Amino acid sequence: VVEAIAPQVAHWHLAGLPGPRGGSVEALATRLQGTAAATATRHEQVEDALRQAHAQAGAGDRVLVLGSPHPAAAPLECLGRD
């Protein structure tokens, strides 16, 4: 997925997820070594990644959140959407 969308991504942000199905941001970064996301900014929490991505986004930019419904719930809540 990373390589497929890489041409459309200006900057990557990675975040860790708590709980038994989650993992640390460092573990995620290790899995992404050698991909376009290897130089991503790392965040401990999804909300922190979303805030920084949103702050960096300019007019007409989009912030894309990838993952299962669990990580997607935090950004939607942060944006005040269900």
Side-chain angles (χ1 to χ4, degrees):
V1 172
V2 170
E3 297 307 322
I5 64 171
Q8 304 301 316
V9 177
H11 189 80
W12 298 85
H13 292 269
L14 304 178
L17 288 174
R21 294 185 64 187
S24 72
V25 67
E26 296 306 322
L28 178 58
T30 297
R31 291 187 66 189
L32 293 172
Q33 286 180 348
T35 71
T39 59
T41 302
R42 300 174 187 184
H43 305 273
E44 293 301 317
Q45 297 183 16
V46 173
E47 295 87 349
D48 296 336
L50 178 64
R51 283 188 193 97
Q52 187 170 351
H54 191 263
Q56 288 177 323
D61 287 346
R62 296 192 176 164
V63 175
L64 176 66
V65 179
L66 300 173
S68 69
H70 175 74
L76 290 174
E77 187 174 308
C78 187
L79 293 171
R81 298 180 184 164
D82 294 323

